[in-house]
Amino acid sequence: MKCYLSSPLQKSREWKPLEQRKCTDIPWLLLFILFNVGMLCICGFAIATGAASRLISGYDSYGNTCGQKNAKIPGIELSGRDHTSRKYVFFLDPCNIDILRRKIKSVALCVSKCPDTELKTYEDLRNFSTVYGSDLCSYDVQPDTYSSHANRSTKCPTLPVHPSASLPVFHRCIPVDISCYARFAEAFITFVSDNSVVHRVIAGVMTSKEIIMGLCLLALVLSLILMVVIRYISVVLVWILTAVVVVGCAVSVAGGTGILWWLYVDHSKSVNASLPALELEVAKDNQKALLIYAIAATIFTVILLLLMFFMRKRVALTIALFHVAGKVFTHLPLLALQPFWTFLTLMLFWVYWISVLLFLGSAGSPVQNNQTGLVEFKMDGPLQYMVWYHAVGLIWISEFILACQQMTVAGAVVTYYFTRDKSQMPFTPIVSSVLRLMRYHLGTVVKGAFIITLVEIPRLILTYIHSQLKGRENACARCMLKACICCLWCLEKCLTYLNMNAYTATAINSTNFCTSARDAFFILAENALRVAAINSVGDFVLFLGKVLIVSCTAFAGILSLNYQREYTVWVLPLIIVCVFSFLVAHCFLSIFEIVVDVLFLCFAIDTKYNDGSPGREYYMDKALMSGNEIHGEFKRTIFIVFVVYF
């Protein structure tokens, strides 16, 4: 896993885009395959021990799995029952939520039918048992003794019994009453003390679910539209943004510098030798301090203005990259579908991961709780190690999926950039990039994902420790924990950016991860000012795009909910819509950001090894080669905006 810095001779090695292709980082691919075999073994172990059936079919509070014949558990009186005809789990008090442990604090029974009508009395419970053959009280209580049993308050359900329905796959009787959902929400929203507020909020979400889905679809459409429009408005947007930043900085810094000089002159006039000795000394100290501040502010102002002057060409390059990125999406429209496939793959993997985690949670040994006398499944030592192994798999495989998306996009954009005749490109560059990734470079993305995992794991552990020790540790320990978490977060972001460029270098030269990361690092170091301009200006423009999408979606949500005046609380529906719209915008615009980063690395390589002479012609687009087209488009865009406005 070591990455060595290259010698000067190695650094001079020329890039050969798309000229050769070979497999990279094969040992890491084999390691990843072995790791996934371990993940599958954990899943198989959970299924083999019966945890899968307990999770899907459900089990009662005495260790019996519903829907099957059970073996006797030593020491548990009501265990080992035949529940072949009892396929549903019924909770005696389903709304009694243990907020601290996030679980239902109630006795569970296996029943043959969930009560679909409200049962108000014990006589109703007996009639339900007689008609449907489903006992809703504990197994040792006969239906004809429901009304007179001494322990009916603990062995029978809490009255009234609300109507319930079974889940499609997991056979649990879930109340249809909205008040129970409020209790579930309170288990996770512990800072809300007013249950009526929770009830109204949950009711607003349930009754406005169609509006929420429509607004989420609107966010998706707006993201697609913005990716198309940003090609044409990037010139105006970036220049206006740059002008605002330059003017704001110049006015604030220059104004502050002028005020300091004015104060210095004013204090100089006020210094009088006739003043008392103490006041004269204080006045001279203030005069010296103002002189130092004024000189420092002047130097800073000059440096800032010079920096802005020299950065103007880098801003023009940012505009050109945004313009060419729009062209890339025109030639490669399937790039817009990458967030869909990545999101779908991540969802499928996360569903699998959560299912296996739940299997492991039900795979422990049955242990009787001394206080309640009920059965609980406790995880032994080996199971806990499996959970940790499974948690590492969540991070590594998730990062691997994201890295595959980055490598796929990089491969397609590299093919577009280094193909002089665009008509000679593959029919589907995205599909070709996916095939190259699967055939040659899976080991490279595995290694890149593992490096990110090595940083994420300690950061998550420190975050967990910080949350568990909240309010207990002293101020120094809290500050050190936050500093470590912040440093690891910054390191993760830097490594993610370097990994992205390493994948691009691999797509160009078919080199292994370390060689690609080293080559990309030297190219980026040679273009540090350009990188700073593109990352600062470009990222801020894309952030404004995300804010625009969220704002438009939230505004549409307010207008939509305004016609539904019966919703007394709009907070949660709007929060759900805004969060989803931001995630959608982030997914789509992150693809645009990846394209810009890949184009920049290709541009930097192109300008380093080519000079436009015969035999060393540039690969770059005309918009990158010359700023005339950009400025001409800027003028045309301004003219169109002027005409539309007036």
Side-chain angles (χ1 to χ4, degrees):
M1 191 184 138
K2 294 182 179 179
C3 295
Y4 297 99
L5 292 177
S6 61
S7 64
L9 181 62
Q10 289 176 314
K11 286 193 294 183
S12 64
R13 178 179 57 83
E14 290 197 8
W15 295 64
K16 298 179 180 180
L18 307 176
E19 291 186 10
Q20 57 184 359
R21 192 62 57 185
K22 62 180 180 179
C23 295
T24 56
D25 298 297
I26 297 178
W28 282 92
L29 177 59
L30 298 177
L31 176 64
F32 188 66
I33 292 174
L34 292 176
F35 182 84
N36 281 274
V37 170
M39 294 280 289
L40 293 176
C41 290
I42 291 176
C43 179
F45 170 81
I47 295 175
T49 54
S53 61
R54 282 198 293 270
L55 176 66
I56 296 175
S57 300
Y59 57 93
D60 60 16
S61 297
Y62 308 103
N64 301 301
T65 303
C66 299
Q68 68 181 39
K69 190 174 182 179
N70 298 274
K72 181 71 175 180
I73 300 176
I76 308 299
E77 181 181 354
L78 297 178
S79 63
R81 303 182 71 87
D82 186 0
H83 285 327
T84 307
S85 60
R86 300 170 180 258
K87 300 180 180 180
Y88 305 100
V89 180
F90 174 74
F91 298 96
L92 300 187
D93 190 6
C95 296
N96 185 12
I97 309 297
D98 188 345
I99 296 179
L100 184 61
R101 298 183 179 180
R102 268 80 170 177
K103 68 177 184 179
I104 299 177
K105 191 177 180 181
S106 170
V107 175
L109 301 175
C110 293
V111 298
S112 57
K113 179 180 173 58
C114 298
D116 52 2
T117 58
E118 186 177 22
L119 306 177
K120 299 181 179 180
T121 64
Y122 291 105
E123 186 66 21
D124 293 338
L125 295 179
R126 189 184 66 80
N127 293 335
F128 183 85
S129 175
T130 303
V131 174
Y132 298 104
S134 182
D135 299 337
L136 301 182
C137 291
S138 182
Y139 307 134
D140 56 347
V141 180
Q142 298 299 321
D144 55 356
T145 63
Y146 282 174
S147 302
S148 58
H149 199 280
N151 297 325
R152 63 182 184 180
S153 60
T154 57
K155 295 194 174 185
C156 287
T158 302
L159 297 178
V161 177
H162 299 290
S164 59
S166 62
L167 294 175
V169 178
F170 302 94
H171 301 85
R172 270 75 169 178
C173 297
I174 301 299
V176 297
D177 185 13
I178 196 69
S179 62
C180 270
Y181 296 126
R183 288 289 300 159
F184 276 101
E186 188 185 358
F188 294 91
I189 312 174
T190 55
F191 56 84
V192 178
S193 59
D194 188 359
N195 292 341
S196 61
V197 173
V198 178
H199 177 80
R200 293 198 304 271
V201 168
I202 300 300
V205 173
M206 296 301 295
T207 51
S208 60
K209 55 182 179 296
E210 293 83 4
I211 296 178
I212 293 176
M213 294 178 63
L215 292 173
C216 293
L217 182 62
L218 174 63
L220 179 63
V221 174
L222 289 176
S223 299
L224 292 173
I225 293 175
L226 183 61
M227 291 180 65
V228 177
V229 173
I230 201 170
R231 172 187 174 184
Y232 302 99
I233 68 172
S234 59
V235 179
V236 178
L237 188 61
V238 175
W239 276 121
I240 290 177
L241 172 64
T242 306
V244 170
V245 173
V246 170
V247 172
C249 291
V251 170
S252 60
V253 176
T257 304
I259 292 174
L260 286 173
W261 280 112
W262 176 79
L263 289 173
Y264 169 72
V265 173
D266 185 67
H267 275 70
S268 299
K269 293 179 180 179
S270 63
V271 174
N272 193 340
S274 62
L275 293 173
L278 181 60
E279 293 184 10
L280 181 62
E281 189 70 22
V282 172
K284 289 183 178 180
D285 290 341
N286 290 336
Q287 183 183 2
K288 292 180 182 179
L290 285 172
L291 178 61
I292 295 174
Y293 293 154
I295 294 174
T298 303
I299 295 174
F300 178 75
T301 302
V302 173
I303 293 175
L304 180 63
L305 292 176
L306 290 175
L307 184 62
M308 291 178 178
F309 177 77
F310 287 111
M311 289 287 285
R312 72 190 190 282
K313 293 183 179 180
R314 277 78 182 180
V315 174
L317 175 61
T318 304
I319 297 173
L321 287 173
F322 271 68
H323 181 77
V324 177
K327 288 186 177 181
V328 171
F329 280 95
T330 303
H331 288 85
L332 308 176
L334 291 180
L335 278 177
L337 298 179
Q338 283 303 301
F340 288 107
W341 300 119
T342 304
F343 179 77
L344 179 61
T345 306
L346 283 174
M347 286 296 103
L348 292 176
F349 169 68
W350 288 344
V351 168
Y352 162 80
W353 187 87
I354 293 174
S355 300
V356 175
L357 182 65
L358 294 176
F359 290 165
L360 290 176
S362 303
S365 304
V367 178
Q368 186 176 20
N369 191 312
N370 295 328
Q371 296 179 351
T372 62
L374 305 179
V375 173
E376 298 177 355
F377 289 91
K378 298 290 185 180
M379 289 191 299
D380 301 323
L383 284 176
Q384 294 178 352
Y385 293 123
M386 290 183 184
V387 171
W388 282 106
Y389 187 97
H390 196 59
V392 174
L394 171 66
I395 302 175
W396 193 4
I397 297 176
S398 298
E399 290 296 332
F400 169 77
I401 295 172
L402 294 175
C404 286
Q405 173 184 265
Q406 295 173 352
M407 177 69 86
T408 300
V409 175
V413 176
V414 164
T415 301
Y416 170 85
Y417 188 96
F418 289 107
T419 301
R420 299 187 187 276
D421 186 2
K422 306 305 181 187
S423 62
Q424 299 298 320
M425 286 195 307
F427 179 69
T428 54
I430 292 292
V431 176
S432 301
S433 180
V434 172
L435 295 178
R436 285 200 304 270
L437 167 64
M438 297 178 65
R439 182 177 179 182
Y440 297 108
H441 306 310
L442 282 178
T444 298
V445 295
V446 165
K447 188 172 184 178
F450 182 77
I451 292 175
I452 301 298
T453 303
L454 286 181
V455 180
E456 279 193 358
I457 290 177
R459 182 171 67 86
L460 293 176
I461 292 175
L462 289 178
T463 304
Y464 175 77
I465 293 174
H466 181 265
S467 64
Q468 293 297 313
L469 298 180
K470 201 167 186 179
R472 302 178 186 176
E473 77 279 19
N474 55 37
C476 181
R478 183 167 58 250
C479 182
M480 291 181 62
L481 276 176
K482 289 183 178 179
C484 292
I485 294 171
C486 182
C487 291
L488 289 174
W489 181 83
C490 294
L491 178 61
E492 179 186 339
K493 294 301 178 184
C494 294
L495 290 176
T496 300
Y497 181 73
L498 183 60
N499 280 8
M500 176 66 245
N501 289 279
Y503 300 148
T504 304
T506 299
I508 295 174
N509 271 348
S510 189
T511 50
N512 59 40
F513 179 84
C514 287
T515 303
S516 299
R518 179 195 62 205
D519 295 342
F521 175 79
F522 283 118
I523 290 291
L524 295 175
E526 293 173 1
N527 297 269
L529 289 179
R530 289 174 173 175
V531 172
I534 292 170
N535 285 340
S536 57
V537 178
D539 290 351
F540 191 72
V541 169
L542 294 179
F543 174 75
L544 290 180
K546 298 173 186 178
V547 172
L548 177 64
I549 293 174
V550 173
S551 301
C552 293
T553 307
F555 181 71
I558 293 175
L559 293 180
S560 301
L561 293 173
N562 185 49
Y563 291 98
Q564 306 289 341
R565 297 296 181 90
E566 64 272 17
Y567 303 154
T568 57
V569 179
W570 293 357
V571 177
L572 191 56
L574 285 179
I575 289 177
I576 293 174
V577 168
C578 290
V579 170
F580 183 83
S581 60
F582 181 83
L583 292 177
V584 170
H586 176 74
C587 290
F588 281 92
L589 293 182
S590 64
I591 296 295
F592 196 94
E593 184 179 1
I594 292 173
V595 172
V596 171
D597 290 338
V598 174
L599 285 174
F600 171 73
L601 187 62
C602 295
F603 167 79
I605 295 169
D606 196 10
T607 54
K608 181 177 181 179
Y609 293 102
N610 297 311
D611 54 11
S613 60
R616 302 189 68 178
E617 294 86 358
Y618 289 119
Y619 289 94
M620 69 182 68
D621 190 273
K622 292 181 179 179
L624 290 173
M625 190 178 300
S626 174
N628 294 331
E629 180 179 334
I630 294 295
H631 293 297
E633 184 178 343
F634 175 72
K635 295 178 180 178
R636 290 194 298 271
T637 309
I638 289 294
F639 177 76
I640 293 173
V641 173
F642 179 82
V643 171
V644 171
Y645 180 79
F646 287 99

